mmCIF file of all heavy atoms in Angstrom:
data_model
loop_
_atom_site.group_PDB
_atom_site.id
_atom_site.type_symbol
_atom_site.label_atom_id
_atom_site.label_comp_id
_atom_site.label_asym_id
_atom_site.label_seq_id
_atom_site.Cartn_x
_atom_site.Cartn_y
_atom_site.Cartn_z
ATOM 1 N N ALA A 268 -8.011 17.831 -9.270
ATOM 2 C CA ALA A 268 -8.221 19.199 -9.738
ATOM 3 C C ALA A 268 -7.279 20.172 -9.035
ATOM 4 O O ALA A 268 -6.765 21.117 -9.657
ATOM 5 C CB ALA A 268 -9.679 19.611 -9.507
ATOM 6 N N GLU A 269 -7.008 19.944 -7.753
ATOM 7 C CA GLU A 269 -6.123 20.830 -7.003
ATOM 8 C C GLU A 269 -4.686 20.716 -7.500
ATOM 9 O O GLU A 269 -3.983 21.730 -7.637
ATOM 10 C CB GLU A 269 -6.184 20.504 -5.513
ATOM 11 C CG GLU A 269 -5.478 21.498 -4.619
ATOM 12 C CD GLU A 269 -6.045 22.904 -4.716
ATOM 13 O OE1 GLU A 269 -7.280 23.051 -4.694
ATOM 14 O OE2 GLU A 269 -5.232 23.849 -4.820
ATOM 15 N N LEU A 270 -4.244 19.517 -7.801
ATOM 16 C CA LEU A 270 -2.889 19.333 -8.321
ATOM 17 C C LEU A 270 -2.752 19.991 -9.697
ATOM 18 O O LEU A 270 -1.720 20.616 -9.991
ATOM 19 C CB LEU A 270 -2.551 17.842 -8.411
ATOM 20 C CG LEU A 270 -2.291 17.144 -7.074
ATOM 21 C CD1 LEU A 270 -2.136 15.640 -7.283
ATOM 22 C CD2 LEU A 270 -1.047 17.710 -6.396
ATOM 23 N N ALA A 271 -3.766 19.864 -10.523
ATOM 24 C CA ALA A 271 -3.730 20.509 -11.841
ATOM 25 C C ALA A 271 -3.653 22.030 -11.691
ATOM 26 O O ALA A 271 -2.921 22.706 -12.425
ATOM 27 C CB ALA A 271 -4.962 20.113 -12.653
ATOM 28 N N ARG A 272 -4.388 22.579 -10.731
ATOM 29 C CA ARG A 272 -4.365 24.017 -10.498
ATOM 30 C C ARG A 272 -2.981 24.468 -10.051
ATOM 31 O O ARG A 272 -2.465 25.506 -10.503
ATOM 32 C CB ARG A 272 -5.409 24.395 -9.443
ATOM 33 C CG ARG A 272 -5.561 25.888 -9.197
ATOM 34 C CD ARG A 272 -6.616 26.168 -8.149
ATOM 35 N NE ARG A 272 -6.164 25.781 -6.823
ATOM 36 C CZ ARG A 272 -5.466 26.575 -6.003
ATOM 37 N NH1 ARG A 272 -5.124 27.808 -6.409
ATOM 38 N NH2 ARG A 272 -5.105 26.167 -4.811
ATOM 39 N N LEU A 273 -2.347 23.688 -9.172
ATOM 40 C CA LEU A 273 -1.013 24.037 -8.687
ATOM 41 C C LEU A 273 0.028 23.949 -9.806
ATOM 42 O O LEU A 273 0.907 24.803 -9.914
ATOM 43 C CB LEU A 273 -0.625 23.107 -7.528
ATOM 44 C CG LEU A 273 -1.391 23.289 -6.230
ATOM 45 C CD1 LEU A 273 -1.062 22.186 -5.243
ATOM 46 C CD2 LEU A 273 -1.093 24.661 -5.617
ATOM 47 N N ILE A 274 -0.066 22.910 -10.627
ATOM 48 C CA ILE A 274 0.880 22.777 -11.743
ATOM 49 C C ILE A 274 0.711 23.941 -12.707
ATOM 50 O O ILE A 274 1.702 24.501 -13.208
ATOM 51 C CB ILE A 274 0.676 21.432 -12.469
ATOM 52 C CG1 ILE A 274 0.999 20.273 -11.525
ATOM 53 C CG2 ILE A 274 1.571 21.357 -13.708
ATOM 54 C CD1 ILE A 274 0.636 18.904 -12.094
ATOM 55 N N ASP A 275 -0.522 24.326 -12.963
ATOM 56 C CA ASP A 275 -0.784 25.454 -13.859
ATOM 57 C C ASP A 275 -0.188 26.736 -13.301
ATOM 58 O O ASP A 275 0.344 27.575 -14.035
ATOM 59 C CB ASP A 275 -2.302 25.600 -14.044
ATOM 60 C CG ASP A 275 -2.653 26.619 -15.130
ATOM 61 O OD1 ASP A 275 -1.812 26.862 -16.023
ATOM 62 O OD2 ASP A 275 -3.762 27.167 -15.078
ATOM 63 N N TYR A 276 -0.243 26.879 -11.982
ATOM 64 C CA TYR A 276 0.298 28.085 -11.334
ATOM 65 C C TYR A 276 1.823 28.066 -11.333
ATOM 66 O O TYR A 276 2.474 29.089 -11.582
ATOM 67 C CB TYR A 276 -0.227 28.175 -9.897
ATOM 68 C CG TYR A 276 0.305 29.361 -9.127
ATOM 69 C CD1 TYR A 276 -0.195 30.647 -9.344
ATOM 70 C CD2 TYR A 276 1.312 29.196 -8.180
ATOM 71 C CE1 TYR A 276 0.304 31.733 -8.642
ATOM 72 C CE2 TYR A 276 1.815 30.267 -7.478
ATOM 73 C CZ TYR A 276 1.307 31.538 -7.711
ATOM 74 O OH TYR A 276 1.814 32.611 -7.015
ATOM 75 N N LEU A 277 2.408 26.885 -11.052
ATOM 76 C CA LEU A 277 3.856 26.789 -10.925
ATOM 77 C C LEU A 277 4.567 26.602 -12.266
ATOM 78 O O LEU A 277 5.731 26.945 -12.399
ATOM 79 C CB LEU A 277 4.217 25.614 -9.992
ATOM 80 C CG LEU A 277 3.755 25.766 -8.547
ATOM 81 C CD1 LEU A 277 3.937 24.445 -7.794
ATOM 82 C CD2 LEU A 277 4.490 26.884 -7.842
ATOM 83 N N CYS A 278 3.866 26.029 -13.228
ATOM 84 C CA CYS A 278 4.439 25.789 -14.576
ATOM 85 C C CYS A 278 3.468 26.292 -15.639
ATOM 86 O O CYS A 278 2.891 25.493 -16.372
ATOM 87 C CB CYS A 278 4.716 24.308 -14.785
ATOM 88 S SG CYS A 278 5.878 23.590 -13.671
ATOM 89 N N PRO A 279 3.241 27.587 -15.727
ATOM 90 C CA PRO A 279 2.274 28.095 -16.716
ATOM 91 C C PRO A 279 2.699 27.757 -18.140
ATOM 92 O O PRO A 279 3.869 27.807 -18.487
ATOM 93 C CB PRO A 279 2.285 29.611 -16.479
ATOM 94 C CG PRO A 279 3.587 29.888 -15.815
ATOM 95 C CD PRO A 279 3.912 28.674 -14.985
ATOM 96 N N GLY A 280 1.705 27.394 -18.941
ATOM 97 C CA GLY A 280 1.989 27.095 -20.345
ATOM 98 C C GLY A 280 2.675 25.779 -20.577
ATOM 99 O O GLY A 280 3.256 25.553 -21.651
ATOM 100 N N LYS A 281 2.610 24.844 -19.607
ATOM 101 C CA LYS A 281 3.312 23.567 -19.737
ATOM 102 C C LYS A 281 2.377 22.417 -20.065
ATOM 103 O O LYS A 281 2.717 21.264 -19.817
ATOM 104 C CB LYS A 281 4.043 23.255 -18.438
ATOM 105 C CG LYS A 281 5.254 24.155 -18.160
ATOM 106 C CD LYS A 281 6.395 23.849 -19.112
ATOM 107 C CE LYS A 281 7.635 24.664 -18.733
ATOM 108 N NZ LYS A 281 8.762 24.360 -19.626
#
Side-chain angles (χ1 to χ4, degrees):
E269 189 60 45
L270 287 173
R272 185 180 71 87
L273 291 172
I274 296 172
D275 189 24
Y276 178 77
L277 296 170
C278 299
K281 290 289 185 179

